Amino acid sequence: MNSSEKTALRKPYSRIYVEEAAAGHPRTAQILAKFPESVVIPIGDYKNVFNRPRQPVQLQKEAPSLILALQKPPYLYAGPAVCQDFGESHFYYTSNVMNCPFLCDYCYLRGMYPSGDIVLFVNTEDTFCETERILKEHPLYLCISYDTDLLALEGITGFFGEWVGFAASHPALTIEVRTKSSPNVLNYPVLPNVIYAVTMSPEAVIERFEHRTASLTARLRFAKSIIESGRPLRLCFDPMLWVPDFETVYGEFFERVFSEIPGEAVKDIGVGTFRIAADYLKRMRKNHPCEVTAYPYTLTDGVYGYDAERLSEMLSFAKAALTKYVDEKKLFFS
Amino acid sequence: MLYFCTALYTEAAPVISRFQMKPAGGRIGSVYASDEAILVLTGIGPVAAAGALSEALTLFPPAETDMLINIGICGAPAGFCEAGTWLRIHKITDAATGRDFYPEILFPSVFREAALATVSTPMKASQEAASATSGASVSTSASAASTVLSDMEASALYQTGQAFFSPERMLFYKGVSDFGVSEGTRLNPSDVTALIEKALPDILSEAEGILSVLPSDPVLSEAAETAVTKLCKLLSASVTMEHEIRLLAAYRTFRCGDAAEFFMAFAAGIEGPVVRREGKRLLEQLRKDCLA
Ligand code: SF4
């Protein structure tokens, strides 16, 4: 082989590990049917594959395998303090998926998981059962696209469609699905308790740091389709990254967003800058050295972020820019 | 560097000859070495394999970028394939403990894939392999990926190797020599050598292909490293300061290309090593300049 020739990586999802316990589940058969060419490898417990030591996480993320498994309790978790709760008192999150098909340089999953493969928990019925149990105690605000981008995987899993069906018959439940993709969701019923949260970033940031995600143009088109069809839309300007010429880049970006999305039609807006747990950043710097991870952040209470001066510059700028388009009450900062 | 493991000399001979290896010691197994590769002749069975590989890795400690390749013969279920078929292993079951191990296959292989069980005695190979993996087949598989082969070393090599090699850097190739039922189907020693000779070019091509992709390049160029070292001396940097200087150099590299020129220019403005307090002040200046 010529030394300049590079071997191509395997195709994404060309290998599918299937937990013995999940092998007989109907959803397993449905997912496998979508990948007739893939090599299927039976496994005992998904952790034996997902938690292998010293995995090549970055290369796996480029061309992930799927791992089909059964989720074990707990199925729902109380929302962590570092996340925005948008004023909701019973804020929980759940994930039927571990890992994401997108490759954002700043993604905390790169520091959290020992693998770049994607785990799909096929027993969604157990999560629904647990959700119903909690709903008997109090209403629930649930983030369902946590530790993944659920909509980006909808073509494989169908999980989002199931959640919409579940939300339709449980009005005390509000679900938020956050995404950087731009799918067509117009076939799902319009429900006031299904919030579509679209993460927006300047095109230059998307191109440089949010690999494989939808372009800004596509995300705006998606956001518009949400509003025009009467669905609740949340915009997320989070994480904002410091880039040279920050004010020009983000100023023009906000202008573009609100030239296409009427501010009054947006349910609310989350705003935040890049921040990450110290342990995760340490691992990311080792496994995925890049411009975002190499930035010399400041450590405060176990969390790395921009130093106070830069942070205040970025947030004040965002606040001043955004209040030109939306009522301040709609802004949630973290 | 490639680290080959084989159980038998008949399996090792083509590799030794291809790399023009010379004997290089070993009390538990026999080690052969050349500038490009090491071969560990382990002997038969899991205990011999683990001992011989441990010994070789102590004699010749591998770098993070090195790769372990097990080449050998195996048994297959009757009717699975023809004798002489080569397979790449994606799952290894240790029949004695029931534990499974998964070499990572990141690149398409020219070889068909299969699961393998490592057993302790050849006579019981087919039964042990079957019981080690009973219930593990998935009928929805489009491939015959869950078919289980049997050998006597792979799980021990994986378990020993995983302290040194990451899962994508451990490659297991098995040529089917018998079907565990009739002696008549076994290959004689010269057939085994011929079998390895046949597969070796493809195995080496896959290994070289993988090495060409797996990341091993450092972030900083040599010139940037030199500049960082020089700056650390000039600033009388502590370990923490050096860490921050390296981080800034990496950040600068990602943002603007090479950091060497920028750091050299900064260093050129400093006259002789300064005391640490001044070094800290200059580091703060460097930080501001890098982030500007
Ligand atoms: S879309 Fe979200 S979960 Fe996916 S890689 Fe990007 S940051 Fe991570």
Side-chain angles (χ1 to χ4, degrees), chain B residues 21 26 44 46 66 70 130 134 150 199 225 228 245 264 271-272 274 280:
Chain B
M21 293 172 169
I44 294 172
D66 292 341
N70 174 217
S134 60
S150 59
E225 273 292 346
V228 164
I245 292 168
M264 275 301 186
E271 280 179 25
V274 297
K280 282 187 179 165

Side-chain angles (χ1 to χ4, degrees), chain A residues 72-84:
Chain A
K72 296 175 188 78
Y75 303 101
L76 270 59
Y77 300 84
V82 288
C83 290
Q84 280 155 346

Side-chain angles (χ1 to χ4, degrees), chain A residues 61 99-110 145-149 152 178-181 199 209-211 213 239:
Chain A
K61 280 195 73 77
N99 251 331
C100 180
F102 294 147
L103 298 165
C104 302
D105 281 340
Y106 54 75
C107 182
Y108 67 98
L109 299 177
R110 291 181 186 272
S145 189
Y146 212 84
D147 300 341
T148 189
D149 191 312
R178 189 173 294 206
T179 191
K180 289 190 184 107
S181 66
T199 301
F209 305 116
E210 298 178 351
H211 314 288
T213 62

Side-chain angles (χ1 to χ4, degrees), chain B residues 204-244:
Chain B
L204 292 179
S205 164
E206 283 197 8
E208 282 166 20
I210 295 168
L211 283 176
S212 76
V213 175
L214 292 179
S216 57
D217 287 345
V219 172
L220 299 186
S221 67
E222 251 179 61
E225 273 292 346
T226 309
V228 164
T229 309
K230 185 173 177 192
L231 196 55
C232 287
K233 276 198 189 128
L234 285 171
L235 302 194
S236 305
S238 63
V239 173
T240 314
M241 286 166 72
E242 180 177 342
H243 178 74
E244 194 171 343

